[in-house]
Amino acid sequence: MKSKNWYVKQFKKKPVQITRYVVQAVFLFFMLYIGLRFYQFYMHFETLGQTPFVDRPPAVEGFLPISALMGLKVWLDIGEFDLIHPAGLVLISFFVFGAIIYRRSFCSWFCPVGTVSELLAKLGRKLFKRNFEIPKWLGWLLLPIKYLLLLFFVGMVIIMPTYSAIQFLNEPYNKISDVKMLLFFLNIGGVGLVVVSLLVILSIFYRNIWCRFLCPYGALIGLGSIFRISKVRRNEETCTNCEMCTKVCPSRVTVHKVEAVNSLNCTGCMACVEACPVKDTLNMTVVNKKVSKWFIPVTFLVLFFLVVGFAKITGHWETIITYEEWQQLIPLAKNIK
């Protein structure tokens, strides 16, 4: 059991990372709570009212990226905001457009999959004293996968006529797409179970393998980094090439070899900045101006809660689907295609 002084020293040494771990844990437990509430909501209708009614948590729509992309297309094309899954549209809009400044902060601060991936990697370090490195040649072969998946999904949305997207948003399948997602995990087996198990095992050996090579959602958010508004800069004159920055990077970016971190995989987690032993050798910059290491996480979190709060106040968070419509749709969810 570590002493209180040890934790105090750790916080003083890397306050942003400790804060990030706390935020990750809070959001992970929040997502588990959301999942439980949504299951209770589903069971009320599945049992035809035999279990107590629980309000559907809108945050579950954060797991519906295809529906959110369709809603975003319609919103950008004709200015019509999707009221079937409004929370999903709010979330994807914030994370995608916010990434222009905040890079993939969603991945390092909020994403429950990213949090679990980091925990599995830590388990690997406990078991084997280290995480293993994927050979560079294999890394280059794997890197395009998430972008090919992204191209497939985004391309499908882009080429779809707007009227078809509107039709999709109002179809019964989209209305209960969150229920279909729940049913997939409740009845997972076969290929799905094998894939999930394989990803869990690989994540123990290879740090953040899903996030680095396979996640199309992270790839979409990472595109905001193309604008290079924010980036970590390295002072080559004071750098001692200790490689601590690269060792702690969750995305395995070789920070110690670049003047500025322009990689689309950078999540703005500040781990490299806090790990650097030489003051002002690594700094976060916004529009080429040095900012505090707290700037990205604090403004990201504050703006996120402001956006969600504004969406709730203005009626762009709760779905317009009625209790009576849920009564009709959910008992038939397994048969709706």
Side-chain angles (χ1 to χ4, degrees):
M1 183 92 178
K2 293 181 173 64
S3 66
K4 179 181 177 181
N5 288 336
W6 184 87
Y7 288 105
V8 171
K9 288 180 181 179
Q10 288 299 305
F11 184 77
K12 288 181 178 179
K13 184 178 179 182
K14 45 183 181 180
V16 176
Q17 292 314 292
I18 300 299
T19 303
R20 185 169 75 90
Y21 298 150
V22 171
V23 172
Q24 282 182 317
V26 168
F27 268 84
L28 178 59
F29 282 110
F30 176 69
M31 287 296 103
L32 292 173
Y33 170 75
I34 290 297
L36 175 62
R37 297 287 289 181
F38 185 65
Y39 175 73
Q40 293 172 325
F41 164 82
Y42 162 74
M43 288 304 298
H44 172 76
F45 295 100
E46 177 64 15
T47 61
L48 303 179
Q50 294 182 28
T51 59
F53 173 72
V54 172
D55 285 327
R56 172 183 175 275
V60 74
E61 295 174 14
F63 294 94
L64 306 175
I66 302 301
S67 178
L69 280 172
M70 291 290 188
L72 183 59
K73 173 188 175 67
V74 172
W75 189 30
L76 294 177
D77 280 357
I78 63 175
E80 185 176 311
F81 199 91
D82 176 31
L83 296 179
I84 301 298
H85 294 309
L89 178 51
V90 169
L91 292 171
I92 199 171
S93 299
F94 174 74
F95 294 139
V96 169
F97 294 111
I100 295 174
I101 295 177
Y102 300 113
R103 306 181 74 92
R104 287 173 53 186
S105 290
F106 163 76
C107 302
S108 59
W109 288 82
F110 287 172
C111 180
V113 178
T115 299
V116 172
S117 294
E118 288 196 42
L119 290 174
L120 290 172
K122 288 179 181 179
L123 174 62
R125 290 195 293 275
K126 288 283 187 181
L127 294 174
F128 308 108
K129 306 303 180 184
R130 67 188 181 100
N131 292 127
F132 297 88
E133 292 294 336
I134 291 176
K136 286 186 178 181
W137 64 268
L138 182 56
W140 282 109
L141 289 177
L142 294 175
L143 186 60
I145 294 178
K146 64 182 178 182
Y147 295 107
L148 290 174
L149 290 171
L150 175 63
L151 182 63
F152 172 76
F153 291 118
V154 174
M156 178 179 64
V157 172
I158 291 176
I159 65 174
M160 178 180 286
T162 302
Y163 69 86
S164 296
I166 296 174
Q167 185 178 15
F168 169 83
L169 292 175
N170 289 282
E171 286 180 350
Y173 182 90
N174 178 59
K175 289 182 178 180
I176 58 164
S177 54
D178 45 7
V179 175
K180 301 289 282 188
M181 175 190 63
L182 175 65
L183 291 175
F184 170 79
F185 285 105
L186 289 177
N187 301 292
I188 192 169
V191 176
L193 185 59
V194 170
V195 171
V196 172
S197 299
L198 183 60
L199 286 171
V200 168
I201 293 170
L202 288 174
S203 296
I204 293 174
F205 290 95
Y206 303 102
R207 193 174 183 183
N208 288 23
I209 192 168
W210 165 261
C211 308
R212 291 161 58 195
F213 300 113
L214 300 171
C215 180
Y217 196 74
L220 174 62
I221 296 174
L223 293 180
S225 302
I226 292 176
F227 297 98
R228 300 180 180 180
I229 301 293
S230 61
K231 68 192 76 165
V232 172
R233 286 189 173 275
R234 181 175 68 95
N235 186 334
E236 295 179 273
E237 294 181 0
T238 58
C239 179
T240 62
N241 289 307
C242 66
E243 301 187 20
M244 285 300 298
C245 51
T246 297
K247 290 176 182 176
V248 299
C249 178
S251 300
R252 313 310 296 142
V253 177
T254 52
V255 183
H256 73 284
K257 291 184 177 181
V258 297
E259 181 181 345
V261 179
N262 293 314
S263 171
L264 301 185
N265 283 329
C266 174
T267 62
C269 68
M270 300 295 116
C272 60
V273 174
E274 288 201 315
C276 182
V278 183
K279 186 178 179 180
D280 284 335
T281 295
L282 283 179
N283 288 295
M284 173 56 75
T285 63
V286 177
V287 197
N288 295 323
K289 301 292 184 181
K290 174 187 170 183
V291 296
S292 165
K293 63 184 180 181
W294 288 100
F295 176 84
I296 293 293
V298 169
T299 57
F300 172 74
L301 291 169
V302 169
L303 188 58
F304 170 75
F305 286 110
L306 286 175
V307 167
V308 171
F310 181 76
K312 289 182 177 182
I313 292 171
T314 58
H316 293 83
W317 190 252
E318 298 279 352
T319 181
I320 60 170
I321 301 176
T322 63
Y323 180 95
E324 290 71 25
E325 197 168 3
W326 289 124
Q327 273 185 314
Q328 295 177 358
L329 290 172
I330 291 181
L332 302 174
K334 295 176 182 177
N335 299 317
I336 293 177
K337 304 294 183 181

